[in-house]
Every structure is written in C-alpha cells, then in structure tokens.
Amino acid sequence: MTKNKENIFDLDLFKRLFTYTKPYRKVFYGVLISVILIAGLSISVPYILKIAIDNNIKLQKEDGFLFYIILMIGMLLLETVFQFLFTFYAAWLGQSVVKDIRVKLFNHMLKFKMKYYDTSSVGALITRAVTDMERIADIFGQGLFMIARDTAVMLAIATVMLFTNIKLSLIVFVTMPIVLYATRVFQRYMKKAFEQVRAEVSNLNSFVQERVTGMKILQLFTREATEYKNFKAINERHKKGWLKTIWYNSIFFPIADFLSSITSGLVAYVGGLMVVLYATASVSELFMFIMLIPKLFRPLRQIADKFNTLQMGMVAAKRVFKIIDTNSQIDDLGTLEVSQFNGDITFKNVRFSYVDDEDVLKDVSFSVKAAQTVAIVGATGAGKSTIINLLNRFYQINSGSICIDNIDITTVRLASLRNHIAVVLQDVFLFADTILNNITLNNPKITEAQVIQAAQDIGLHDFIMSLPNGYHYNVKERGVMLSSGQRQLISFLRAYVTNPSILVLDEATSSVDSYSEQLIQTATDKITKDRTSIVIAHRLATVQKADQIIVMDAGEIVEIGTHDELLRKKNGYYRNLYEVQFLKAEVA
C-alpha cells in the first residue's frame, strides 16, 4: 500500500510498528487466543438459551433446565475472565511497545546536531515524546486488538445466524452493506480530521511552552493582552479540529444505532410471520436472532469507534517515526579513545556556515599551545562562540581541519573528545535537582567527596554550605532558586570537577554581581592554571592575563598577539576595542 494521505491505513507503517512486538510474542499470541475465545463465548449464551427454549420451555419440561441456566452463568463468567485478561494484556503490550519506542526516540534525539534543535520547536518535540506516544500505545490497547475482537465476534455471530436460519440472516445482512459503506466513509474523513487535530495539539504545546518559559519577558513588556489574544486564536483552531471529529461521530453513530433498531424490528416482524403463518422459523430462533442483532451491530459500531483510536495512533506513529528517521547526527566515525590530551589546539583553514552560502567562519587558522590561556574577542556575531561549538563537534565544519595534539578531532570518538573538554557558558542551564547532581550530572565516577574537595580548591565550598541543605539544596527548574551569579559558580565547579584537558569559558563572567565576580575570578585563576583554556570574555582582567589574544571580526581573525603587543598597534582593531570598551570599564 502506498503512503498516501488519502489511504485510510498505512500497511508499511503498521508492519514497522509490529516489529516492536517481537520481544513480547507470548503476550501477543495470548491476546490473539483471547480474541478467539471471546468470539466463541459471545454466542454461547444466546445459543444455549435457544436450546433451552426448544428442549424445556417449548415442551414445558423442567428436567435439565437448571443445567442450561448454570451453563449460561458459567459461560458469562468465562467471558468476563477472558475479557479482563484481553483488556489488561492488550494495554500492557501497548505500554511495553511504547516504552521501547520512546527510549529509542529519546536516545536518537540525544545524538542530534545542535542545528536540528536550532530549527525545531521544543513544544513539538515534547508532543512527539509524550502525547503522541500515548496515542501509539492506544493502537494496541484500544485500537487494533479491540477491532480484531469485535471482528471475530461479528464473524462468529454471522456464522451462527447463517447456519440457524438463512432467511432471517438475509434480513439482518441486507442492512450491513450500508453500515459498512458508512463506516468506510467515516474512517476516511476521521483520518484527515485526526491529522489536523495532531497538528493543532503540537502548535498549542509549542505556544504554551514558549510563553511559560518566556513569561518574564511578556510581563516586562506588558504583552499579556496580546498573547492572550494569540492563545485564544490557537485554542480556537484546536477546538475546531476536535469539533470536526465530534461532528463525524455525531453523524455516524446515530445512523448505526438507527439501522440496528430497524433491523431488529424487521426481524421481529418477518420472523413473527414466519413462526405464526408459515412455520419456517421457530420461536427459539427468533429469540436468538433478536439477542444476537445488538451483539452484531454493537461491535460494528465499536469498530468504527476503535478505528478512530487506531487512526490517531497511526498519525502519531507517523510523526514519531519521522523524527526517528531523521538523519541529523554528527558522524561519529572516529575510533580513537584518548585517555588524556596535552592541550595543543590547531585550527587550519576552517570554514563553516550555519546556513548554506553564508559563512560564519572564513578560512580561520590559529594555534594554541598546551597550558596556554587564549582569549578570543570581537563584536557580537564575529564567530567567537562558533569556534567553541566546532571544537566540541556540535556542528560539522565545511572545510579545513581542527586538531588537538596533532590529532584530527574527527578521528576521535565523540564521547572521548567531549570528556576532555569542559565548557562554562554565559547562560547556565541547571536541572530541577540538587546542587550535587547538577555538578556531577549523575556521573557515578564523581563522588560527593570529590565535589566537596573541588569546591574547597576553587573557593566555592563556603558559598554552597551557606545554602539550605548545602550540596543537597534543590535549585528547582532551570535553577530559579539561585541568582545568575550563583548559577555561574555552580557551572564553574561542574567544569572543574571533571578535570578537563581543555577548558572553555564562553563569556562566563558577564552579567554577575560583584561578590560572585570575585569568587568567579578566583575560581577562574585556579581552574585555568596549567590547563589549556579558551576564554571568550569582555572582562578586562581575564583578557589582559591571557597568553594570547585572538581578535575576530565578521568570521575572520584580524589580529593575534598579547595584550601589550596589540595595544601597540596604531589604529589596531583590539586597541580601538580597548579604548572604546575596556578603558571605559576601568574608568567606571
């Protein structure tokens, strides 16, 4: 079956989903066996009642009647037990499959390039990993097996009807094509409706996630009324998407109920004539047919309902597999495992662009010797942070080479490379967890004692112990319980405790209070000692102490030298920058 939006059912997608049931084959086959048993048990009570009418009620004979009643109760109990087992294990299978898919999805997302996240909606990704996953679970728990059960029940009922009385069966079956056609049309429109619903759910999640994250900005610039209107518009589209599915349900299900009632009425009327006037049917047969008709039409009605669930799950699965099929990983083809780097860094003729044909770095070349501290300065957008991103291989360079200790970093395994590079960013991200876990990032190789010793080494122990519960203080989401300076201190300790070969400070000392700045400066002096360090900063003290300063402008290196050497260049870029910015900072 081709993958066409007009198709009600994507067979290829369905087969792919089924590959995830392989570890749970026993449960899968057990559920299928339950389907067969439930189908048989569903017709047992009406059929036993028919026998009881023929053998006892019609003949006014009491002998054996109690046996039929007990047998019917036994069949009902068995049907209840198998319905329970079927429902539980179908849902269990769905959750087990989704657990595996969710783990695979998250593991895949962990390896994406930063470029993927630069262009993707966080809200949409959350929808795929959470909401869409539950819809996939419903494919097994509420969709596929339910449809299989209802289909089996219908086939069993239809078979019994045909073998019991063909004429009454034809009366029942004459309305079936109408219901089947209505069901097919209903399914086609519901698929389109559910695709729209999933899109609107994703948009709604993205909007809410962004606004909640940026609530401070909205309130600072008094944008509450505007965002309220925008939210109302998005929510209205979401409501209309769902109302479309409700509209289709409102049309289909009353039609199915109406046809079921008409069929029951026709069977009662025609069957009554056959019993009274023509003797071509028995009372027991008529009684059994009237009992079976709702059992026949109810599964058909439920099949349509469960097909809705199946459609939503298939749409969700299509979206999830689209992410899983996305090839946006950095090629980790390196085989080298490095135990330690000396720290010599070489960029040679490196060109890079985030967007095609728009170079951010233009033929950049420079060298850093082991244990040197190198400062990179330049205007915003000059390419300073890009150098750090490329050193960590968050992005793939267009041309040129980057080497550490004369080893091309593409030949080193990504994990090994990044284990030896620690980065302290200006915008520190902390998780809703303790200070200790935010420092170790749950690395079992880093003990609490090591963290405490590292904090004492760089002068942060007293600051941490001043907080409630010390190292076990929960900083809440994104570290909101700490000031920006305190978060920066935690990030310094997080970098230091890993004992990296190369340390990167990406404007890590900007926008902090004077007390935190003193602690950070002390920490900086300590953790950069005897370690290759790259500092992107506007702070004069850090730049002045650097062994080498690289000055960048518009993606190119325009000057390289020490602080004193660069100041001696008349009309030099760095000297102008110093006079405009750093000298003012000193005066202030």
Side-chain angles (χ1 to χ4, degrees), residues 120-131:
S120 298
S121 164
V122 174
L125 293 175
I126 292 173
T127 300
R128 303 293 171 267
V130 181
T131 308

Side-chain angles (χ1 to χ4, degrees), residues 424-440:
V424 179
L425 299 171
Q426 178 184 6
D427 183 17
V428 179
F429 188 96
L430 298 181
F431 296 93
D433 207 334
T434 63
I435 286 178
L436 178 64
N437 287 341
N438 269 290
I439 292 170
T440 65

Side-chain angles (χ1 to χ4, degrees), residues 559-576 578-579:
E559 293 175 347
I560 295 181
T562 64
H563 174 71
D564 292 334
E565 289 172 348
L566 294 175
L567 283 183
R568 287 196 293 267
K569 291 186 177 182
K570 293 183 179 180
N571 297 320
Y573 190 100
Y574 180 80
R575 179 171 176 171
N576 290 334
Y578 174 80
E579 291 175 349

